[in-house]
């Protein structure tokens, strides 16, 4: 089950479950479309993978399967992943 994290890990923008601009990588790292495009260049700074739109959980399922309330924020800031 997707965690549906509540914010962008880069700018801390709220991303409620119905947010159409929420993007995730295969590890569920969550970023807003603006940060993915303008800061990250489409590459996850955590794993180096790409992003896909986060699915929107139907409102009728949110009560039984609530979104996460745990906010994740990159304390060191975010930017394109640096090559090793």
């Amino acid at each position: 089950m997707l965690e549906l994290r509540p914010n962008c890990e880069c700018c801390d923008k709220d991303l409620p479950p119905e947010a159409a601009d929420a993007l995730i990588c295969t590890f569920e790292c969550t970023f807003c479309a603006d940060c993915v495009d303008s800061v990250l260049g489409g590459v996850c700074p955590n794993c180096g993978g790409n992003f896909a739109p986060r699915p929107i959980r139907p409102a009728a399922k949110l009560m039984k399967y609530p979104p996460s309330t745990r906010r994740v924020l990159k304390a060191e800031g975010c930017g394109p992943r640096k090559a090793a």
Side-chain angles (χ1 to χ4, degrees), residues 8-47:
C8 173
E9 290 184 33
C10 186
C11 71
D12 203 29
K13 174 182 179 178
D14 289 337
L15 295 171
E18 69 279 2
D21 65 334
L23 298 168
I24 59 173
C25 73
T26 61
F27 291 97
E28 296 186 56
C29 301
T30 304
F31 296 90
C32 69
D34 288 340
C35 286
V36 167
D37 293 339
S38 64
V39 178
L40 304 174
V43 178
C44 179
N46 301 321
C47 70

